[in-house]
């Protein structure tokens, strides 16, 4: 059918409800009532407004649809079935082992899903990233439709998105809010007070439309109005009923996330099972996603011995990468003068996105841009990526290829104090599935790693430092991800010092001190914290018997723990001693901070001497 | 002086500017220009409106002042000096090693600081927690004043706070926004458009007042209006000039976070150094903070062998703790029916705070409540605490004693899929300074740990599980923080399986399987993930030579890494094998998930057999 008439739209919506009930019943779990409230909204969108080629999900002209209320996945999958993308049999595999139809939709498994949802308040910020791509970069007329729940509007990230979209005049973005009045545990703050939501969106510069979310004609007019609104994003606030259509469950508390008590009866009440199909409009012809010009990469070159901050090298390398590759974009959280992403911004302003102090929106925009084929680099202080950890975690579920650079790592920043020090970032990023975690100690190494990140899959993280450090490596040196550098070694080494970033320089200084005392030590620069260079670490362990790890990070989850990744398969484990940041630092000069935490050259040398005296080492 | 007249207020403000310039000059770093914009706002507050006894910072009637723009610390310390709380000499120790006057203020070192700031967008949410305490619990007439920057209003957490305060009618809360138009790297989105901010706050139910932030009479009237406004929190939007008072720096870009180029000249331009003092009004007499009735604690008791979810035990134990102690409060992020904090809410509704889906605001409110002497327990899904990681990190800098409980840990939740699975939470919480991380495997253990958390300092985290598990321990058993339980041991043990939570049950089942095959293994329940029971782990290592760790968490930063904490002082390290969640799970039943990740009984047994065959173990 081509659902053009009220009756046909209503029949389609009814079928989406029936199929939602069936999927959840087959699974024995899921959120049918949250699906039923939004069925009319979905039916009208699918039949009249979405332009999408299900056979070509990669079509550049396709509209983008994000189910921000990801728990309403039965509705999404029922829509896929109505559009002919999946069949009846697959629908009923919902939530089973091996099924593509997960409890919350994920793009790795289903080609029509733009981004993983299920942590609330993330769909709109990611949608902003896609809308920015459409408007500023691709310049294709696709629209981004985001179906939100009312409960999730309490998440601050939604208002970061509202602010960004409003100020950027993203009129290609529509938020559809399914105001069904009931959250998981009970009523929302505002119930059916659509005006409460309208006031908030309007204050952030949005056009708003209030509708009866079960009146298909009303909905139809609202979508048309959203499409024709210029200069502003639109929020459609739809009054709906949770569990709509089934008397025994509708508008009742205590039924969130549960299959209907009597599915068969409910299906009958909803009109029974029919094979209602919908013809989704095709997108207009569009150029393939930005023809990427990949030119010759001229990385910045630094002279060994010069003093350069790795954050400076980051900025310069990123600018160079942007010159070589048209698909590289950069984002920053209002600290580009500190992270040095300003170097990129100056050379490639059209591909730079200022996100102001809104780290959640920044990472979400990176995810949205990555979903559209861009290679994003987003930067802020290492400490402030903690603000976006949920988005980073969800990005890995999406399988998004994003690059994040955290500056001002560790106590080495000096006087600004602990609020500005990234001291948990390695732990946070190491725990992300399939992540890459890099921590360079010099400018040439940084430049090469910035370039390497563009080739990595998943979430990649680069940790940079505030202060200047001597350039150790020549510009021609290679730094493979998963590698390390042995900076000092001899057959007589009594132990191995494993360091990264600022502590590499301290470890080298300690080794020179110790050398003079007749205590040779091996020094490894473990710039690839994840994956870790197992072979080099194991060789060092075999030869020297003891590893002393030194890191400008908390003792948990950082470099010391990363070193252990080389020894968790039952192989012999060396003795290990760990130096890390164990107090709550205050303000002090960088060198005072390193000394106070026992991670400077003097402290490393003292630790080695103690181990020698105690005969822990050979 | 008692600054009652315009001229006197202006003189005080000028002196605050002078002292801010001097402090930053002495330090050679800091944010004087961000201090100078807010000097008039601070002067009028201090002289006319704040009620605060600097000699008794613990006075229950004291107003609360939070410098949300924590980088403007020179202004705060200059105000302390004007109030006679610190002297000239100390002011000039700003940002030096050992000084109490850190780059960003911290309460651990300065008794008048309510909460650590420096990560922007946190002051207002914490202020909401204090205002809730004042209004709902303490019922004392103190006001909470929060001085915010304009740049930080882009953080979503500010709008979570705006929503919470507006809906709770917190008329004891005032946000003072220093709209100086310039962020760190350049102009803000809205510049001096005070209406843009006013519209946003009004939409969230706030009363707003626009003022010239350098007109002390205008400011004075605004504070008086805020104090007399009933039923709504007030936002004072003050148009100010960054670097106000010094021609060469005021309203200029590129001068954020830098001492003035010529401090002496600037001081002269500002009128020179004077010893202007202000008499801050005393608070009215007030009862001491809630007389805490500490009654007999009757923890719930569970029968061994019964099947109970640890989240159920959490809810029951928390309710019991709330009955025994009047100072225990609970918060939840709209999932109390899942986390089971609803049990507390039902018994102690007056001490339960529904935070809706706003995890940043929830943790911030816990910090604010803890600062007022309450013992908060805040709960949501383990996965969703990632949303609040920056707040958790800052809570540890504040030295706040807060308890957080994350439910639905790991793949064991089953069909809901990865977005709902806490798989990085142990890594995240272990890396927090001085944190306590607990992960019980049975109901009685859970109950005891919930009670123990109330006695812990700093950030304590409890990880609970969705599914039912057999009760292993009797209700009388003790579970000290930092301990563990050896559940199975013999002199013939070939290796030790270290587990926690759901994997304890899998490890026990594996040990029974292996026992029948003549392979005895030791089983340790490592319920205290941090601090870790070094002695028991070291004994097991000595006796059995190999540790097999099994966790429903990512391989990085969790149980496996925690076990290594027992072996990082150069002592001999056992062989280690680590089983953890290594794929991206989809939807499946709980037992299918555990099997797919290789952390169920069968997989554990298979790993042990392999190690025996490879002769890795004895």
């Amino acid at each position: 059918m081509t659902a053009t008439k009220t009756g046909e739209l209503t029949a389609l919506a009814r079928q989406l409800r029936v199929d939602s009930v069936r999927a959840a019943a087959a699974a024995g779990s899921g959120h049918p009532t949250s699906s039923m409230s939004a069925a009319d909204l979905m039916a009208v969108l699918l039949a009249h407004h979405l332009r999408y080629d299900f056979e070509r999900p990669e079509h550049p002209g396709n509209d983008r649809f994000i189910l921000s209320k990801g728990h309403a996945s039965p509705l999404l999958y029922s829509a896929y079935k109505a559009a002919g993308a999946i069949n009846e049999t697959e629908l009923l595999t919902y939530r089973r082992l091996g099924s593509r139809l997960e409890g919350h939709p994920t793009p790795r498994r289903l080609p029509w899903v733009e981004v993983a949802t299920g942590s609330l308040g993330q769909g709109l910020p990611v949608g902003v990233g896609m809308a920015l791509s459409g408007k500023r970069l691709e310049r294709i007329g696709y629209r981004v439709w985001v179906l939100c729940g009312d409960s999730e509007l309490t998440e601050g990230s939604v208002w970061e998105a509202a602010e960004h979209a409003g100020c950027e005049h993203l009129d290609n973005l529509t938020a559809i809010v399914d105001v069904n009045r009931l959250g998981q545990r009970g009523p929302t703050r505002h119930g059916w007070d659509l005006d409460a939501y309208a006031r908030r969106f309007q204050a952030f510069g949005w056009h708003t439309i209030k509708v009866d979310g079960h009146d298909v004609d009303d909905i139809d007019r609202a979508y048309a109005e959203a499409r024709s609104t210029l200069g502003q994003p639109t929020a459609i606030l739809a009054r709906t009923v949770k569990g709509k259509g089934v008397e025994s469950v509708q508008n009742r508390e205590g039924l969130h996330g549960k299959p209907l008590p009597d599915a068969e009866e409910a299906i009958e009440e909803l009109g029974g099972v029919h094979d209602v199909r919908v013809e989704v409009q095709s997108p207009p012809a569009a150029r393939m996603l930005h023809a990427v010009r990949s030119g010759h990469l001229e990385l910045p070159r630094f002279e060994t011995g010069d003093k350069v901050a790795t954050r400076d090298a980051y900025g310069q390398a990123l600018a160079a990468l942007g010159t070589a590759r048209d698909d590289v974009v950069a984002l920053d959280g209002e600290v580009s003068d500190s992270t040095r992403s300003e170097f990129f911004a100056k050379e490639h302003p059209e591909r730079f996105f200022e996100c102001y102090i809104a780290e959640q929106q920044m990472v979400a925009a990176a995810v949205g841009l990555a979903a559209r084929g861009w290679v994003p680099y987003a930067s802020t202080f290492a400490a402030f990526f903690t603000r976006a950890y949920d988005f980073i975690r969800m990005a890995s579920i999406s399988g998004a290829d994003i690059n994040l650079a955290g500056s001002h790592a560790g106590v080495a920043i000096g006087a600004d104090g602990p609020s500005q020090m990234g001291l948990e970032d390695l732990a946070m990023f190491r725990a992300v599935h399939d992540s890459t975690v890099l921590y360079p100690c010099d400018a040439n190494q940084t430049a090469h790693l910035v370039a390497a990140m563009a080739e990595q899959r998943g979430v990649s993280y680069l940790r940079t430092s505030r202060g200047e450090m001597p350039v150790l490596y020549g510009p021609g040196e290679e730094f493979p991800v998963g590698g390390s550098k042995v900076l000092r070694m001899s057959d007589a080494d009594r132990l191995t010092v494993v360091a990264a970033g600022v502590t590499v320089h301290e470890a080298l200084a300690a080794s020179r001190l110790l050398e003079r005392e007749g205590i040779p030590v091996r020094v490894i620069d473990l710039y690839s914290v994840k994956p870790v260079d197992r072979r080099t670490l194991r060789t060092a362990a075999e030869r020297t018997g003891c590893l002393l790890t030194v890191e400008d990070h908390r003792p948990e989850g950082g470099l010391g723990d990363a070193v252990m990744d080389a020894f968790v398969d039952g192989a012999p484990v060396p003795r290990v001693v760990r130096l890390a940041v164990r107090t709550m630092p205050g303000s002090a000069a960088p060198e005072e901070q390193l000394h106070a935490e026992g991670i400077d050259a003097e402290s490393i040398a003292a630790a080695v001497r103690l181990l020698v005296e105690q005969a822990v080492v050979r």
Side-chain angles (χ1 to χ4, degrees), chain A residues 2-3 47 63 66 131 135 142 145 178 199 217 223-224 290 384 438 494 560 579:
Chain A
T2 306
D63 281 355
I66 299 175
K135 209 164 181 70
Y142 63 73
W145 306 90
D178 175 20
R199 277 195 303 274
D217 296 315
Y223 288 154
H290 50 84
F384 303 141
L438 305 168
R494 303 286 292 270
L579 304 182

Side-chain angles (χ1 to χ4, degrees), chain A residues 465-493:
Chain A
S465 301
R466 177 178 181 276
E468 294 179 347
M469 298 188 286
V471 176
L472 291 181
Y473 303 103
E477 187 114 13
E478 297 288 326
F479 302 95
V481 171
S484 68
K485 291 286 175 189
V486 181
L487 284 171
R488 212 217 137 282
M489 70 176 288
S490 78
D491 289 342
D493 291 339

Side-chain angles (χ1 to χ4, degrees), chain A residues 529-548:
Chain A
V529 178
K530 181 184 174 189
V532 83
D533 183 352
R534 298 179 65 188
R535 212 167 66 170
T536 301
L537 288 171
R538 290 169 87 134
T539 303
E542 280 161 29
R543 301 284 160 79
T544 73
C546 180
L547 304 183
L548 175 67

Side-chain angles (χ1 to χ4, degrees), chain A residues 272-595:
Chain A
V273 178
H274 298 282
D275 189 21
V276 181
R277 293 299 181 99
V278 61
E279 187 89 36
V280 176
Q281 289 173 75
S282 288
R287 290 175 295 126
M288 273 312 290
L289 185 71
H290 50 84
V292 174
R293 178 179 60 80
S294 205
H296 177 66
L297 174 60
E298 285 263 21
L299 280 179
R301 298 167 69 88
F302 303 93
E303 291 297 315
T304 50
D306 280 4
K307 294 193 86 178
V308 184
T310 53
R311 59 176 172 148
D312 280 313
Y314 169 75
Q316 292 183 46
L318 186 60
L321 192 65
T323 303
R325 294 178 61 144
D326 278 357
D327 57 353
V328 168
V329 298
L331 309 92
D332 200 279
E334 217 272 319
V335 287
S336 57
D337 53 335
S338 287
T339 61
R340 307 303 202 217
S341 69
E342 65 178 4
F343 299 159
F344 182 99
K346 272 173 197 150
E347 289 195 34
H348 314 289
E350 74 290 357
R351 280 183 275 143
F352 179 78
F353 297 86
E354 178 57 70
C355 297
Y356 296 88
I357 309 180
E359 295 81 8
Q360 298 184 95
Q361 177 56 56
M362 179 178 73
V363 172
V367 170
L369 287 159
R372 298 301 309 127
W374 303 98
V375 180
Y377 285 72
S379 48
T380 183
F381 282 30
F384 303 141
F385 273 115
T386 53
R387 201 64 159 251
Y389 195 24
D390 197 25
F391 285 79
I392 296 165
R393 177 182 80 86
M394 290 298 296
S396 85
I397 299 176
S398 283
D401 302 326
I402 59 171
N403 304 298
L404 307 176
S407 68
H408 293 65
V411 300
I413 65 164
D416 270 338
S419 64
Q420 317 294 301
M421 295 170 174
L423 287 170
E424 303 83 6
D425 55 324
L426 296 178
M428 174 173 93
F429 279 105
R430 276 183 68 241
V432 171
H433 183 61
D434 265 355
S435 63
T436 301
V437 180
L438 305 168
Y439 182 19
C441 69
D442 101 334
N444 285 317
Q445 192 179 53
T446 305
H448 281 271
L449 294 175
V450 169
M453 288 170 87
E455 309 299 331
Q456 297 297 308
R457 306 304 308 264
V459 175
S460 295
Y461 177 64
L462 183 83
R463 187 185 214 222
T464 68
S465 301
R466 177 178 181 276
E468 294 179 347
M469 298 188 286
V471 176
L472 291 181
Y473 303 103
E477 187 114 13
E478 297 288 326
F479 302 95
V481 171
S484 68
K485 291 286 175 189
V486 181
L487 284 171
R488 212 217 137 282
M489 70 176 288
S490 78
D491 289 342
D493 291 339
R494 303 286 292 270
L495 59 67
T496 301
V497 182
V498 185
V502 66
T503 62
V504 169
H505 302 275
E506 301 299 325
L508 283 174
S511 78
R512 287 190 293 267
L513 280 175
L514 292 163
E515 181 77 50
R516 289 202 289 273
E517 300 168 26
I519 309 175
V521 299
R522 186 164 300 191
V523 177
I524 294 178
D525 168 12
L526 200 72
Y527 64 82
S528 181
V529 178
K530 181 184 174 189
V532 83
D533 183 352
R534 298 179 65 188
R535 212 167 66 170
T536 301
L537 288 171
R538 290 169 87 134
T539 303
E542 280 161 29
R543 301 284 160 79
T544 73
C546 180
L547 304 183
L548 175 67
T549 65
V550 194
E551 62 191 303
D552 192 358
H553 184 273
R554 292 288 174 208
E556 299 88 2
L559 195 72
D561 280 354
V563 164
M564 272 308 294
D565 288 352
F567 305 97
V568 291
D569 59 352
V573 184
R575 289 176 190 247
V576 180
V577 177
R578 192 175 287 179
L579 304 182
V581 178
R582 291 183 191 274
T583 77
M584 182 56 75
S587 285
E591 58 281 6
E592 291 170 335
Q593 300 276 19
L594 294 175
H595 188 66

